Amino acid sequence: MTPIKKIGLFTSGSDSPGMNAAIRAVVRSAIYYNIEVAGIRHGFEGMINGEIIPMGTKSVSNIIQRGGTMLKTGRSEQFKSPQGRKLAYEQLKKNNIQALVALGGNGTIIGVKEFNEEYPDIAVIAVPCTIDNDLRGSDFTIGYDTAINTVIEAVDKIRETAESHDRLFIVEVMGADSGMIALRTGMGVGAEAIMVPETKSDLNALFERLERGRKDKTSKIVMVAEGDEPGGAFEIGRVIMERYPNYDTRVSVLGHIQRGGKPTCMDRVLASRLGVAAVEALMAGHTGEMVGLIHDDIAFTPLGQSVKYHQDVNAEFIRIVEMLSL
Ligand code: F6P
């Protein structure tokens, strides 16, 4: 095995808070081991276009606390084609890059998996960065903790106005087709009901829950994951308004505020640990894997097994929400 002298580092797909902390960890640990790091800007698209910059210790100063990604990100249609991936490969070769660390979510992992199968001479380790927490091989993804804390802060505020006006709020959170954000934050804000794509959303069950609730309870929160089958918060709101015209109902879609903000300590620490582990894994000859944390230990999962899946919803969560939101 030839020792790795130069790593290419990039962020791709949706940004997530903690990506910068992961960039810092990769750059600083690589330098610690005398490995050069080339930053690739704008994800796969920048790889194809040769947007490659040298990175040093100082270039990652003062970023651990910042949301977003200093390397910029994006999605690339070109990289989905073999021709696009060939162009990217040629750029990497031209820049003497022997290995890649890819920071991103589901789409990024699918992209690097295909690339690694076609060009196995470039080693690849992916680091899970997405607010959605929907990757197999890590109990938590980088950005999830910050996003759920942003949601909690926003919904606590909504609860105050809901309580003052005796209103029912349908709150929609992100997560693509995963309900992990809705599930955990729903419990965290004391929601009266949670609707996630992993379980069949039964509107009759929702009506029953709303009717069963205490009559003297003045505010109600229904937490809906954006990927839920009945059509998201506006559709659920419409149905509720039709059925209960005397409920004062409002819909609130939290949107992209969930992707920004200072990463929490949990996300900074996760990013630091996984960033260092990615570099050490490449040095040890790993490739074609995602590094994650399982039961607080570093773990590696083949790229093909780490892409999005529908987790079984933790039944304990649903049971607790139902028990506590009476
Ligand atoms: O994957 C992260 C995520 O924020 C999802 O939760 C959401 O569905 C999607 O990205 C939104 O993407 P965009 O910023 O392109 O609208």
Side-chain angles (χ1 to χ4, degrees):
M1 194 181 72
T2 359
I4 290 174
K5 293 208 181 70
K6 191 168 179 183
I7 290 174
L9 168 66
F10 67 101
T11 53
S12 155
S14 303
D15 61 346
S16 72
M19 270 183 164
N20 276 328
I23 292 173
R24 172 181 177 270
V26 171
V27 171
R28 295 235 166 125
S29 59
I31 289 171
Y32 176 85
Y33 289 117
N34 291 318
I35 298 172
E36 241 183 282
V37 182
I40 303 165
R41 286 163 55 85
H42 291 113
F44 292 128
E45 202 64 17
M47 200 182 287
I48 292 170
N49 297 331
E51 283 189 66
I52 297 175
I53 51 165
M55 298 192 80
T57 307
K58 204 160 163 235
S59 64
V60 293
S61 284
N62 215 12
I63 62 165
I64 193 169
Q65 75 278 26
R66 297 205 190 128
T69 161
M70 67 168 290
L71 284 175
K72 308 241 179 211
T73 189
R75 301 193 175 98
S76 170
E77 278 309 308
Q78 271 200 89
F79 196 82
K80 289 184 183 155
S81 72
Q83 295 85 342
R85 292 193 289 275
K86 184 164 179 286
L87 290 174
Y89 176 75
E90 285 164 2
Q91 288 287 2
L92 297 178
K93 284 307 230 189
K94 198 168 101 190
N95 285 276
N96 299 317
I97 291 171
Q98 297 154 288
L100 287 174
V101 176
L103 310 184
N106 188 56
T108 306
I109 292 181
I110 292 174
V112 285
K113 177 183 171 288
E114 280 177 344
F115 184 79
N116 189 236
E117 282 163 5
E118 287 166 0
Y119 302 106
D121 57 318
I122 298 201
V124 174
I125 293 290
V127 179
C129 293
T130 165
I131 63 165
D132 301 340
N133 201 32
D134 59 348
L135 295 169
R136 191 191 296 270
S138 196
D139 291 344
F140 298 105
T141 54
I142 297 166
Y144 175 65
D145 187 60
T146 307
I148 58 179
N149 279 293
T150 300
V151 170
I152 294 276
E153 201 186 326
V155 181
D156 284 350
K157 289 175 179 164
I158 289 176
R159 178 71 88 173
E160 287 173 2
T161 173
E163 188 71 16
S164 307
H165 285 265
D166 299 341
R167 279 180 172 160
L168 179 146
F169 266 84
I170 321 290
V171 180
E172 183 180 300
V173 293
M174 277 187 168
D177 54 5
S178 153
M180 291 302 123
I181 296 179
L183 194 61
R184 203 169 284 264
T185 59
M187 188 187 296
V189 300
E192 277 60 38
I194 301 175
M195 303 181 76
V196 291
E198 289 84 349
T199 57
K200 171 116 195 55
S201 285
D202 179 350
L203 287 174
N204 288 324
L206 174 65
F207 300 150
E208 203 221 303
R209 272 196 71 63
L210 293 175
E211 283 163 27
R212 201 163 20 109
R214 252 181 25 229
K215 297 290 170 275
D216 61 344
K217 195 167 195 178
T218 60
S219 72
K220 287 183 169 62
I221 304 279
V222 177
M223 193 67 96
V224 182
E226 65 174 347
D228 200 40
E229 335 77 271
F234 279 105
E235 182 52 22
I236 292 170
R238 189 191 62 77
V239 177
I240 288 184
M241 286 178 214
E242 221 172 77
R243 184 169 171 121
Y244 303 107
N246 43 2
Y247 277 5
D248 195 1
T249 303
R250 294 289 186 276
V251 173
S252 182
V253 176
L254 296 189
H256 285 78
I257 60 160
Q258 294 163 90
R259 285 241 297 270
K262 278 174 171 295
T264 58
C265 185
M266 291 299 275
D267 274 330
R268 297 181 200 192
V269 171
L270 180 63
S272 302
R273 292 180 71 188
L274 297 188
V276 172
V279 171
E280 291 179 342
L282 287 171
M283 291 169 67
H286 284 254
T287 183
E289 290 169 301
M290 184 191 88
V291 60
L293 212 60
I294 299 181
H295 300 143
D296 210 28
D297 279 331
I298 297 292
F300 294 92
T301 305
L303 293 174
Q305 286 171 29
S306 59
V307 283
K308 187 170 292 194
Y309 68 107
H310 280 269
Q311 284 179 339
D312 284 340
V313 161
N314 188 335
E316 189 208 353
F317 273 56
I318 304 285
R319 190 177 67 84
I320 291 176
V321 168
E322 295 203 349
M323 190 190 294
L324 301 185
S325 67
L326 292 172

